[in-house]
Amino acid sequence: MAFGKNARADSRRSSSSYCSTVTIIVFVALCLVGVWMMTSSSVVPVQRVDTSSQDTNTEVKQVTESGSRQFEDSPGDLPEDAMKGDSSTSTLQDDSKSDEQENQNTPEQTIEIEEKQEEKPEENDDKKTEEESKTENENDGDGKMDVEESKKEEPNSESEETKTEGSEGEQTESEESSGEKKDSEDKVEERSEETKQEDKVESNIEEKTKQDQEEKEQSLDENKKDGQVPSEVFPAGSQSEILNETTTENGAFSTQAVESKNEKDTQKSKDKKGYSWKLCNVTAGPDYIPCLDNLQAIRKLPSTKHYEHRERHCPEEAPTCLVSLPEGYKIPIKWPKSREKIWYYNVPHTKLAEVKGHQNWVKVTGEYLTFPGGGTQFKHGALHYIDFIQESLPDIAWGKRTRVILDVGCGVASFGGFLFERDVLAMSFAPKDEHEAQVQFALERGIPAISAVMGTKRLPFPGRVFDVVHCARCRVPWHIEGGKLLLELNRVLRPGGYFVWSATPVYQKLEEDVQIWKAMSAMTKSMCWELVTIKKDTVNGVGAAIYRKPTSNVCYDKRPQNEPPLCQESDDANAACVPLEACMHRVPMDISDRGSQWPEQWPERLEKPPYWLKSSQTGVYGKPAPDDFAADYEHWKRVVTKSYLKGMGINWSSIRNVMDMRSVYGGFAAALKDLKVWVMNVVPIDSPDTLPIIYERGLFGIYHDWCESFSTYPRSYDLLHADHLFSKLKKRCNLVAVVAEVDRILRPEGKLIVRDNVETIGELSNMARSLQWEIRMTYSQDNEGLLCLQKTVWRPTEQETISYAIA
């Protein structure tokens, strides 16, 4: 640069020579351009060093070569290190990648990992919140995800930065040509100093990159030795087509109702400009179930003699407020310890302990509620009672022939809780009644249960799905009104299935019991149920009568009277939640019809397509039904094994109660078979009716409309899974109310895994932030997204009074 200065001095001394001056100016300009080109390439590495220096408390993991295929095509793989664990933090960075490689990744193929530092000062939290808010506003235009939180402060690409520097260079050259040479000299000197500093920084980067590359190669070798497989978000190759259903209701055309509703929802969201959450001020407090605590609707009922007041009465608009936490709430005890004890303050109800304590239902023991494993009919433990039933009728074959049962009037569900040791799933239910919180106790213990009652409507299950129905002194008046309630059990029981009735009329001789036994005997005979055995348990001092449903229509046709009557041919046995009718459905006799044969024994029935799925039927995803079933199962085995279990950082030992909010064939639940979890499979009422298939393979589930609240207590589930559910619900539900319901049934620190389109993932991410949930991971590819959220203990302070839920 000294030469340049001397040249300019010479030009001043020989100002008379016009041509010499022009030549020198052009030469200086070329020198400046050359300096700019040398320094511009080091700008991005400087940004990288600044970014990494801000994350000194964050553990940085390199992506191995086995996980580098996540951007192959639409059905990609997710790197194992791209998830944040329950007990450790990680971030997806690879400093060994060149800037050119980063710029080649398409915006739709991005992963965002929310980092959790060991120490989070309040200033950093505020800064992070502002950065997230800014990023959300930028993403609203195209609905795409960011690549990393650590990259949010970097320029979009090296080319953009080069372009900016180029503009400055042109401006500098113009200024020189105008005679402003002094400023140019100063800039040249500044750039010279910057170049020295950046050369030093670049040297440090090269050294760090070399070290990172060595660590990366070492990590790859370890993964190969351990036989690890790369994590996967979407299925590969031939499985990719099952991500989206092939049928559309209206073809390429929408409807006016949909268009109007979408616009109204959009206007509401525009007016809201965010989400403002309030606590539900209701009489039920932390135990609020919107469709069961609609006190205004219950007060208007003309009668309650059929338990109408215990049935669902959903409000016209689902609430958007949040349910409060019980004072002193703690994260639930893990299974299997939770079967014996739970935290008292999580379910602070003592009435059941006072009324049933002598029968070993539940006891208050210090800060715990303890469950000795007994019940009214098995005071000396559920396992002995379970073995007693097996000895009474060996054909029941717990865990082989009998896999899915219905436990009516379950109490605290100890019977179902101990059946897990026999490989049996029990769908337990009881009403929300004066026996305070019995179903809530069951769920807190980690045992499947729902709040329901046998009243005026059918149960929310298909026909002919339960292998056994059990009633241990469930106080249901089976014999009244033509046996209407017993006929409902007949509807849901498989042909050849058993009804185990363990109640006082079986073994006591009190006048009332004798009269009930006579009525039941006449009723079961007219229904063609065979009384297989009556046994008495000398240890518990109780007895059990076991009946079997017929496997043909011979008995029905031979009855002298058609009483109870057979249902009309048009009556669909699978139609649930409709008024009860006192009739019986005929037994299917065609060998290709569901119910004509008993399913395969467990666990073979889990993997084999049901015998009644025909190749002539088109499955949910467009393939022949048996192939559709098999493809769905392979898809979920791959996703669960490679992504959910290994790649998401979820501590599955802390997961017990799981719900699949939109089950199809139950593939997600089937893929979790080997874990100590149970899955409530929910088939939405506007989805294809695949619930019979789920039961056929030895799983269980329920019909439900997600525009209404679910019949369970708050804080019931550890993990919720929603596969392309929310985008469908947006068309007919208030999505804010659906998210409020998700918050209600999910436990603090519970996880929500969502697979949906990118637009919906973005909406849910914004709502999650407003709820102060932790966004653990987001992933997007080809307009498909994956989101993993964790609920926190945060609750708003402002309240919203729900007038219909105030006593």
Side-chain angles (χ1 to χ4, degrees):
M1 293 293 113
F3 177 78
K5 292 180 180 179
N6 293 335
R8 283 192 291 277
D10 293 340
S11 66
R12 295 189 186 97
R13 287 194 297 268
S14 56
S15 58
S16 61
S17 175
Y18 176 80
C19 293
S20 177
T21 302
V22 172
T23 303
I24 292 173
I25 291 175
V26 171
F27 179 76
V28 171
L30 293 173
C31 289
L32 291 174
V33 172
V35 171
W36 166 75
M37 292 178 66
M38 292 174 62
T39 59
S40 63
S41 62
S42 62
V43 175
V44 173
V46 172
Q47 289 285 345
R48 282 178 168 240
V49 173
D50 293 342
T51 303
S52 61
S53 65
Q54 294 173 1
D55 298 331
T56 55
N57 292 331
T58 304
E59 179 184 357
V60 179
K61 296 185 178 181
Q62 302 298 325
V63 180
T64 65
E65 292 181 9
S66 63
S68 65
R69 298 185 294 108
Q70 69 268 28
F71 299 135
E72 279 183 356
D73 53 11
S74 175
D77 296 332
L78 188 65
E80 292 178 4
D81 294 337
M83 312 302 164
K84 179 167 60 177
D86 285 354
S87 58
S88 63
T89 60
S90 63
T91 180
L92 181 64
Q93 287 189 349
D94 190 351
D95 290 336
S96 63
K97 290 184 178 180
S98 67
D99 295 333
E100 180 180 355
Q101 288 175 326
E102 290 178 2
N103 293 333
Q104 287 177 351
N105 290 339
T106 61
E108 293 182 349
Q109 296 174 323
T110 59
I111 301 174
E112 177 182 348
I113 308 298
E114 297 290 330
E115 300 179 6
K116 184 197 296 179
Q117 298 183 358
E118 293 179 1
E119 296 180 2
K120 291 186 177 180
E122 293 181 3
E123 296 179 2
N124 292 343
D125 290 343
D126 295 338
K127 183 177 180 181
K128 180 178 178 181
T129 303
E130 293 174 2
E131 292 171 355
E132 289 176 347
S133 177
K134 181 179 178 181
T135 305
E136 291 168 23
N137 294 334
E138 293 174 354
N139 288 344
D140 286 342
D142 55 10
K144 296 184 175 65
M145 310 297 155
D146 294 334
V147 173
E148 279 184 61
E149 189 165 339
S150 62
K151 292 183 180 179
K152 289 178 182 177
E153 299 177 0
E154 293 188 11
N156 290 336
S157 66
E158 183 179 350
S159 61
E160 293 180 4
E161 195 162 322
T162 304
K163 183 178 179 180
T164 303
E165 294 289 346
S167 299
E168 293 178 359
E170 292 174 3
Q171 182 179 356
T172 303
E173 184 176 347
S174 175
E175 290 172 355
E176 287 189 39
S177 64
S178 302
E180 299 179 2
K181 303 182 184 65
K182 186 175 182 180
D183 293 341
S184 300
E185 293 173 9
D186 294 339
K187 289 181 181 179
V188 169
E189 292 175 359
E190 289 176 3
R191 289 187 180 277
S192 179
E193 294 177 1
E194 289 177 1
T195 302
K196 293 178 181 179
Q197 294 176 357
E198 290 168 356
D199 288 344
K200 183 177 180 180
V201 170
E202 196 168 22
S203 176
N204 293 336
I205 292 174
E206 291 176 357
E207 182 178 350
K208 181 178 184 299
T209 302
K210 183 178 180 181
Q211 181 180 357
D212 290 344
Q213 182 65 27
E214 293 175 356
E215 294 177 358
K216 175 180 175 181
E217 293 175 356
Q218 182 178 358
S219 175
L220 177 60
D221 293 339
E222 291 176 357
N223 288 340
K224 288 181 178 179
K225 290 179 181 179
D226 296 338
Q228 294 181 5
V229 293
S231 302
E232 179 174 309
V233 177
F234 297 111
S238 61
Q239 299 297 316
S240 61
E241 74 275 7
I242 70 171
L243 287 173
N244 297 300
E245 297 180 21
T246 57
T247 57
T248 55
E249 186 174 348
N250 301 304
F253 302 99
S254 182
T255 64
Q256 179 58 223
V258 171
E259 292 169 356
S260 299
K261 187 178 188 309
N262 289 343
E263 177 58 23
K264 290 178 182 177
D265 292 342
T266 302
Q267 291 175 355
K268 287 182 181 179
S269 63
K270 287 180 181 178
D271 295 339
K272 213 166 187 181
K273 295 181 180 179
Y275 304 97
S276 178
W277 303 99
K278 299 180 181 179
L279 277 181
C280 299
N281 179 22
V282 292
T283 299
D287 299 335
Y288 178 47
I289 305 176
C291 289
L292 298 182
D293 292 317
N294 188 348
L295 304 181
Q296 186 178 70
I298 292 173
R299 284 192 289 263
K300 295 179 179 179
L301 291 173
S303 172
T304 59
K305 69 177 183 178
H306 293 104
Y307 296 93
E308 292 93 340
H309 56 303
R310 306 298 184 195
E311 295 181 324
R312 290 171 59 84
H313 301 281
C314 297
E316 292 183 4
E317 292 188 7
T320 57
C321 53
L322 306 181
V323 176
S324 59
L325 288 176
E327 186 176 352
Y329 180 84
K330 296 182 180 180
I331 300 304
I333 297 171
K334 294 181 181 180
W335 179 269
K337 291 183 178 179
S338 62
R339 187 171 59 184
E340 277 71 43
K341 64 179 182 180
I342 62 175
W343 297 113
Y344 166 76
Y345 285 107
N346 286 13
V347 193
H349 301 295
T350 60
K351 184 174 181 179
L352 202 60
E354 295 168 1
V355 175
K356 299 291 186 180
H358 66 288
Q359 296 177 348
N360 280 349
W361 278 35
V362 56
K363 297 180 182 295
V364 180
T365 309
E367 60 180 349
Y368 301 105
L369 289 168
T370 57
F371 302 86
T376 305
Q377 299 301 100
F378 38 93
K379 301 177 185 178
H380 296 283
L383 279 176
H384 170 77
Y385 176 74
I386 291 169
D387 290 337
F388 158 69
I389 295 174
Q390 174 76 66
E391 293 167 2
S392 301
L393 185 62
D395 285 348
I396 278 189
W398 296 126
K400 291 183 171 52
R401 183 184 189 272
T402 298
R403 165 63 182 174
V404 186
I405 76 167
L406 179 67
D407 188 17
V408 183
C410 62
V412 295
S414 290
F415 180 64
F418 283 91
L419 276 171
F420 281 105
E421 297 185 13
R422 303 291 190 267
D423 273 341
V424 177
L425 279 179
M427 175 70 77
S428 302
F429 76 91
K432 187 177 183 182
D433 60 7
E434 64 275 3
H435 281 170
E436 204 171 49
Q438 52 188 334
V439 167
Q440 192 175 16
F441 284 139
L443 290 163
E444 185 73 14
R445 296 173 70 189
I447 303 171
I450 60 170
S451 290
V453 66
M454 298 197 71
T456 64
K457 296 180 180 178
R458 288 180 178 178
L459 296 170
F461 313 119
R464 307 186 298 274
V465 291
F466 289 103
D467 304 332
V468 166
V469 176
H470 173 259
C471 165
R473 202 174 182 176
C474 52
R475 303 198 316 171
V476 177
W478 301 117
H479 59 290
I480 66 172
E481 298 186 347
K484 182 181 292 186
L485 301 182
L486 194 62
L487 291 169
E488 172 61 3
L489 295 189
N490 185 75
R491 180 184 73 87
V492 299
L493 185 62
R494 290 185 187 279
Y498 296 103
F499 174 56
V500 180
W501 189 37
S502 171
T504 54
V506 177
Y507 58 90
Q508 288 186 359
K509 300 301 180 183
L510 299 176
E511 183 178 353
E512 181 182 7
D513 291 325
V514 171
Q515 294 301 320
I516 293 175
W517 173 255
K518 289 181 178 179
M520 273 291 287
S521 297
M523 184 69 204
T524 53
K525 184 178 180 180
S526 65
M527 292 170 58
C528 295
W529 281 13
E530 175 191 0
L531 178 58
V532 180
T533 185
I534 300 178
K535 293 287 185 178
K536 187 167 184 179
D537 179 11
T538 56
V539 174
N540 286 311
V542 302
I546 303 178
Y547 299 88
R548 186 171 187 258
K549 181 178 176 177
T551 57
S552 72
N553 298 303
V554 175
C555 177
Y556 294 157
D557 296 333
K558 288 184 176 180
R559 292 183 303 166
Q561 295 180 341
N562 187 28
E563 188 64 34
L566 294 176
C567 300
Q568 296 182 2
E569 293 293 333
S570 60
D571 192 318
D572 186 357
N574 294 325
C577 301
V578 298
L580 286 176
E581 290 191 31
C583 66
M584 294 186 300
H585 296 86
R586 297 182 69 88
V587 175
M589 296 306 298
D590 191 317
I591 59 173
S592 63
D593 289 342
R594 181 174 68 85
S596 62
Q597 303 178 39
W598 197 264
E600 297 275 352
Q601 288 197 346
W602 178 264
E604 287 78 12
R605 65 194 281 185
L606 180 73
E607 300 185 0
K608 292 185 178 180
Y611 65 89
W612 42 268
L613 279 185
K614 303 177 180 65
S615 297
S616 59
Q617 297 173 310
T618 301
V620 175
Y621 303 113
K623 294 183 177 181
D627 297 336
D628 223 39
F629 174 96
D632 178 83
Y633 186 35
E634 291 300 320
H635 161 62
W636 286 113
K637 282 196 298 183
R638 178 182 293 105
V639 170
V640 168
T641 301
K642 295 185 178 180
S643 177
Y644 292 2
L645 297 185
K646 296 183 178 180
M648 283 192 155
I650 295 175
N651 179 12
W652 285 89
S653 66
S654 65
I655 304 296
R656 173 61 182 173
N657 303 356
V658 179
M659 177 187 287
D660 192 1
M661 299 176 68
R662 182 178 174 265
S663 301
V664 180
Y665 299 115
F668 169 70
L672 296 175
K673 175 182 72 73
D674 295 329
L675 299 184
K676 300 296 182 181
V677 303
W678 61 269
V679 182
M680 179 68 74
N681 293 282
V682 180
V683 173
I685 60 170
D686 59 342
S687 294
D689 185 7
T690 53
L691 194 52
I693 299 174
I694 292 172
Y695 276 92
E696 194 78 6
R697 65 193 306 186
L699 306 171
F700 63 12
I702 191 173
Y703 295 115
H704 182 61
D705 181 359
W706 281 113
C707 291
E708 302 175 351
S709 73
F710 194 78
S711 291
T712 192
Y713 281 86
R715 304 170 300 280
S716 295
Y717 288 87
D718 300 304
L719 186 144
L720 302 181
H721 180 258
D723 179 30
H724 290 81
L725 170 69
F726 293 100
S727 57
K728 297 179 182 296
L729 290 176
K730 287 195 302 182
K731 300 175 182 178
R732 61 186 191 87
C733 305
N734 180 357
L735 196 58
V736 176
V738 177
V739 172
E741 174 64 6
V742 168
D743 178 271
R744 188 185 72 85
I745 65 179
L746 193 62
R747 290 172 171 173
E749 294 193 3
K751 313 297 189 299
L752 171 64
I753 300 176
V754 181
R755 302 168 68 88
D756 221 309
N757 60 52
V758 168
E759 178 185 358
T760 303
I761 292 293
E763 291 183 57
L764 294 174
S765 298
N766 292 337
M767 289 191 206
R769 291 187 179 95
S770 68
L771 287 165
Q772 299 192 26
W773 285 17
E774 179 184 341
I775 301 179
R776 302 175 61 83
M777 188 271 300
T778 59
Y779 176 93
S780 67
Q781 182 170 303
D782 298 334
N783 201 40
E784 289 293 319
L786 178 64
L787 177 66
C788 182
L789 304 170
Q790 178 171 297
K791 178 181 173 180
T792 64
V793 295
W794 176 83
R795 296 287 87 179
T797 55
E798 190 176 353
Q799 291 190 343
E800 176 184 352
T801 299
I802 307 299
S803 58
Y804 56 78
I806 299 293

